[in-house]
Amino acid sequence: MIYDKFANGYDCALAPFEKRFLEKWRRETLSHLPENAEILEIGAGTGANFPFYPPSKHAVASEISRKMLEKAREKLNGETNFVNFIQNNAETLPFAENSFDAAFATLVFCSLEKPGNAFLELKRIVRPSGKIVLLEHVRPPGISGYLFDFLNIFTSALIADCFNRETAKLAQDAGLKILNVKKKAFGIVNLIVCENV
Ligand SMILES: C[S@@+](CC[C@H](N)C(=O)[O-])C[C@H]1O[C@@H](n2cnc3c(N)ncnc32)[C@H](O)[C@@H]1O
């Protein structure tokens, strides 16, 4: 898992972007989640979203990389009631149908091998009319989309990061209802709010 190799440097590498815009976008993304509910994060990474979790009945942070998950645990400083951790693949979630009121991911669908499978899993484990909220970098509209197609040749080979995903379309193809797509950074980043139907 390539993110085992990135885990030590991940927070440092993102720090300049966190301060300038990511923290603001994370807060806005998680503000779409219901309070006092059962919520699931997939690809939780080093726990960068923890400061913005809403008060919840039960929160689960899932992540495939053991090393990223270790970093996330360290962030909580032994505060174990806040969230349960689980190491697993987002494409095969170990939860029963309708287990969660909502689920979310930030900067994850670009890393998944088969994002369509993860959407089908989210559709299965989030209850009907529950929300699925995503902050993702995507293939931008217009001519710059072709630039991202080109960049994708390198990013997908070198860092397993797909630069030309059309994530909202994939969500829709999996049967989720798209409530809103808010474009950020000229459409390079999307805040996507879906409802399970
Ligand atoms: C760019 S990082 C984003 C981490 C965090 N969500 C954030 O916003 O900083 C992508 C994360 O997705 C995780 N990931 C990649 N493939 C995954 C999979 N199949 N299942 C679960 N997590 C996965 C990686 O291990 C990594 O932690």
Side-chain angles (χ1 to χ4, degrees), residues 124-139:
R124 182 181 67 76
I125 59 103
V126 172
R127 66 167 169 75
S129 83
K131 279 211 184 132
I132 294 159
V133 187
L134 310 168
L135 179 73
E136 297 292 339
H137 72 77
V138 298
R139 185 183 193 276

Side-chain angles (χ1 to χ4, degrees), residues 1 3 10 14 18 26 41-49 62-65 68 88-91 105-108 110-113 161:
M1 207 314 119
Y3 275 92
Y10 184 83
L14 258 67
E18 294 287 353
R26 291 182 191 284
E41 176 170 14
I42 61 167
T46 60
N49 289 318
S62 73
E63 163 61 48
I64 198 168
S65 155
M68 294 291 268
N88 79 291
N89 188 338
E91 294 171 28
T106 61
L107 313 176
V108 173
C110 50
S111 311
L112 299 180
E113 267 177 49
D161 191 341

Side-chain angles (χ1 to χ4, degrees), residues 89-188:
N89 188 338
E91 294 171 28
T92 51
L93 292 169
F95 305 108
E97 284 179 19
N98 306 335
S99 301
F100 292 92
D101 298 304
F104 70 101
T106 61
L107 313 176
V108 173
F109 276 79
C110 50
S111 311
L112 299 180
E113 267 177 49
K114 295 191 177 142
N117 287 354
F119 277 124
L120 290 176
E121 280 294 81
L122 290 176
K123 189 166 166 47
R124 182 181 67 76
I125 59 103
V126 172
R127 66 167 169 75
S129 83
K131 279 211 184 132
I132 294 159
V133 187
L134 310 168
L135 179 73
E136 297 292 339
H137 72 77
V138 298
R139 185 183 193 276
I143 198 143
S144 43
Y146 296 103
L147 171 65
F148 277 65
D149 291 339
F150 176 71
L151 291 175
N152 181 58
I153 297 168
F154 304 99
T155 58
S156 54
L158 297 174
I159 53 170
D161 191 341
C162 201
F163 258 46
N164 62 352
R165 285 253 151 99
E166 293 179 298
T167 307
K169 182 177 182 309
L170 291 168
Q172 196 166 27
D173 290 348
L176 297 174
K177 181 176 172 191
I178 308 294
L179 297 181
N180 193 36
V181 177
K182 188 166 175 186
K183 291 187 180 129
K184 297 181 176 298
F186 308 104
I188 295 170

